[in-house]
């Protein structure tokens, strides 16, 4: 059973409270490093980095609505290079989904944390996510306000039914899982921060005890406090599901308007940056792109199509493929439409650690 604890926010500063908590927790469990979104110099947003000393926790900021890359593959790299150390990773829900899928595909070498006490298993800390901006939009927003205003706006989301005061990426508008699944610990903020408190939710009692969370939080959360966040998450999820159906059903993305899709791809230079950026892509399109010889197989096209379906079944919906494209190809609606059709067909929820990959026995 999950254990939900409270972190009381003082002076309406949820970020400081989180940093204080991380600092106390780091010392309590003798952490060696933390992969987290870290503020960059010159107001350039955040980027995932591994922090190796306590002092640098003052740069951690998972609330800033910006995401430059899906850091799921970095989790494995961090632990593989230093198998004797104890690490944690703070990820957004779509990054955890990607990590879970990578693990199912045996592309992650460290086992799931299983109570965070495996020397080689990072503790996964998930954070609620109200959505992130494109880099261009983020820069535009910063011309009008500062980082703390943006972080606060992101945290306020869920407290009411209004839209965010800035546009989030299309992938985020369609992301119906804004709360982390498969994390060891979740930092819950929807509908409760920045004025009130944050929730620190561990996946079970053993995890809660092993990670010594009782020693660094302000007591157990009440049922009402837990429920408030759950209601906000369900409301947000429902809103995004309906947005997604609306966007997917737009005539532009239907088969009869193939011309529009072809015209958009006319800008594509086949540079493959989008594929390189995808945490889950593993060469499934290389035969079609002529990178490898596939004509010796019995049924190459069919084999390639099955491979593509398998890749898209695991798509975490992070939208980083579109974010990296310098030629303005709008990949997200196509990827989301295809991946959701495939996931529905297979009755598969990417990122659910309890669900087996659909084509395995
Ligand atoms: S896709 Fe979802 S989890 Fe990822 S940044 Fe957007 S809203 Fe957050
Ligand atoms: S990054 Fe853009 S231009 Fe490059 S292959 Fe992908 S869609 Fe085409
Ligand atoms: S295909 Fe795009 S949206 Fe899906 S996991 Fe890869 S980068 Fe993310």
């Amino acid at each position: 059973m999950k254990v939900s604890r409270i972190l009381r926010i003082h002076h309406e500063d949820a970020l400081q409270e989180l940093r204080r908590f991380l600092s106390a927790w780091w010392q309590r469990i003798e952490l060696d490093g933390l992969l987290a979104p870290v503020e960059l110099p010159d107001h350039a947003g955040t980027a995932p980095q591994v922090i190796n000393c306590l002092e640098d926790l003052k740069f951690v900021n998972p609330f800033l609505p910006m995401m430059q890359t899906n850091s799921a593959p970095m989790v494995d790299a961090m632990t593989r290079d230093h198998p004797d150390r104890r690490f944690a990773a703070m990820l957004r829900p779509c990054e955890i989904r990607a990590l879970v899928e990578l693990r199912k595909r045996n592309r992650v070498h460290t086992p799931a944390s299983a109570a965070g006490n495996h020397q080689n298993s990072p503790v996964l800390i998930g954070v609620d996510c109200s959505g992130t901006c494109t880099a261009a939009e983020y820069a535009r927003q910063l011309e009008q306000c500062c980082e703390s205003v943006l972080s606060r706006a992101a945290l306020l989301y869920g407290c009411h039914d209004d839209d965010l005061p800035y546009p989030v990426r299309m992938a985020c508008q369609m992301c119906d899982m804004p709360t982390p699944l498969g994390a060891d610990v979740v930092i819950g903020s929807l509908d409760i921060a920045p004025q009130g408190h944050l929730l620190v939710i561990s996946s079970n009692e053993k995890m809660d005890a092993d990670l010594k969370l009782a020693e660094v939080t302000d007591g157990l959360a009440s049922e009402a406090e837990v429920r408030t966040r759950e209601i906000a998450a369900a409301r947000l999820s429902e809103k995004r599901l309906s947005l997604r159906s609306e966007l997917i059903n737009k005539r532009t993305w239907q088969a009869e308007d193939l011309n529009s899709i072809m015209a958009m791809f006319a800008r594509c230079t086949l540079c493959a940056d989008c594929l390189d950026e995808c945490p889950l892509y593993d060469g499934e399109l290389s035969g079609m792109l002529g990178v490898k010889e596939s004509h010796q197989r019995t049924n190459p096209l069919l084999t390639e199509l099955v491979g593509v379906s398998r890749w898209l079944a695991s798509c975490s919906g992070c939208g980083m493929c579109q974010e990296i494209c310098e030629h303005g190809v709008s990949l997200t609606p196509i990827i989301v439409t295809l991946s959701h059709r495939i996931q529905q067909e297979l009755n598969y929820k990417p990122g659910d650690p309890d669900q087996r990959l659909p084509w395995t026995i």
Side-chain angles (χ1 to χ4, degrees):
M1 208 174 85
K2 287 182 184 171
V3 181
S4 299
R5 299 189 174 277
I6 285 277
L7 269 188
R8 301 247 171 255
I9 295 172
H10 302 101
H11 312 298
E12 298 193 4
D13 195 341
L15 184 57
Q16 283 312 325
E17 206 52 58
L18 178 71
R19 287 170 177 167
R20 258 195 297 273
F21 158 74
L22 287 175
S23 173
W25 181 66
W26 178 303
Q27 295 172 77
R28 202 60 56 112
I29 68 159
E30 298 178 7
L31 213 57
D32 291 305
L34 171 72
L35 170 67
V38 168
E39 288 177 358
L40 300 170
D42 301 326
H43 310 289
T46 56
Q49 289 179 13
V50 180
I51 285 176
N52 294 307
C53 64
L54 265 179
E55 292 69 41
D56 287 347
L57 284 176
K58 61 176 178 283
F59 300 117
V60 168
N61 188 351
F63 301 141
L64 207 58
M66 171 161 213
M67 179 170 160
Q68 300 206 12
T69 189
N70 188 319
S71 61
M74 293 174 71
V75 177
D76 199 40
M78 170 177 72
T79 43
R80 206 177 37 215
D81 291 348
H82 306 283
D84 50 333
R85 299 193 192 159
R86 188 168 210 197
F87 289 106
M90 180 175 272
L91 306 176
R92 293 183 185 278
C94 57
E95 295 177 294
I96 296 189
R97 290 197 284 276
L99 184 64
V100 169
E101 292 302 305
L102 285 172
R103 200 166 260 146
K104 288 184 193 176
R105 290 156 173 264
N106 297 322
R107 286 173 57 197
V108 166
H109 301 93
T110 52
S113 168
N117 52 7
H118 189 289
Q119 262 314 62
N120 200 19
S121 297
V123 180
L124 281 189
I125 308 171
V127 284
D128 285 353
C129 181
S130 56
T132 56
C133 309
T134 61
E137 181 56 40
Y138 180 77
R140 239 191 322 272
Q141 290 296 324
L142 273 194
E143 286 169 11
Q144 299 154 29
C145 62
C146 61
E147 282 99 338
S148 60
V149 172
L150 282 177
S151 300
R152 193 181 156 83
L155 281 168
L156 270 170
Y157 193 53
C159 295
H160 40 67
D161 277 335
D162 294 346
D163 286 330
L164 280 161
Y166 46 80
V168 294
R169 296 179 298 119
M170 190 182 273
C172 301
Q173 291 172 37
M174 295 192 270
C175 172
D176 64 330
M177 290 186 272
T179 53
L181 189 67
D184 299 320
V185 185
V186 169
I187 305 296
S189 62
L190 285 176
D191 206 5
I192 48 181
Q195 299 94 334
H197 54 269
L198 291 166
L199 288 178
V200 179
I201 309 158
S202 41
S203 54
N204 55 54
E205 287 100 338
K206 182 169 182 346
M207 183 74 72
D208 181 71
D210 285 350
L211 298 181
K212 304 183 179 175
L213 292 172
E215 299 171 32
V216 287
T217 51
D218 299 317
L220 288 170
S222 69
E223 208 170 300
E225 286 163 332
V226 173
R227 198 78 193 110
T228 303
R229 170 180 171 269
E230 285 174 352
I231 291 170
R235 202 173 54 212
L236 184 55
S237 177
E238 204 175 304
K239 190 173 171 180
R240 288 181 171 173
L241 262 174
S242 96
L243 251 174
R244 188 169 72 208
S245 312
E246 209 178 289
L247 283 163
I248 286 178
N249 293 330
K250 266 190 181 171
R251 211 181 107 75
T252 324
W253 307 113
Q254 302 209 343
E256 66 263 30
D257 202 8
L258 206 57
N259 290 345
S260 313
I261 298 175
M262 299 303 281
M264 193 184 66
F265 269 103
R267 295 200 290 266
C268 174
T269 61
L270 290 181
C271 65
D273 285 353
C274 49
L275 301 177
D276 291 342
E277 186 62 23
C278 175
L280 291 154
Y281 179 71
D282 195 20
E284 288 83 354
L285 286 170
S286 51
M288 291 182 196
L289 294 173
V291 178
K292 72 176 179 194
E293 290 293 328
S294 57
H295 61 270
Q296 288 169 342
R297 296 184 197 158
T298 333
N299 205 346
L301 183 60
L302 195 59
T303 310
E304 303 259 338
L305 286 174
V306 171
V308 172
S309 301
R310 290 175 173 180
W311 161 42
L312 291 177
S314 288
C315 171
S316 73
C318 65
M320 287 295 114
C321 43
Q322 171 164 332
E323 192 61 11
I324 197 77
C325 179
E326 289 181 354
H327 300 276
V329 180
S330 189
L331 286 169
T332 298
I334 299 170
I335 294 287
V336 169
T337 304
L338 289 174
S339 61
H340 280 276
R341 281 295 300 274
I342 292 165
Q343 288 155 3
Q344 267 178 344
E345 199 67 39
L346 296 167
N347 199 15
Y348 185 67
K349 190 173 178 183
D352 182 348
D354 297 329
Q355 237 186 322
R356 194 195 283 258
L357 280 176
W359 51 89
T360 52
I361 43 170

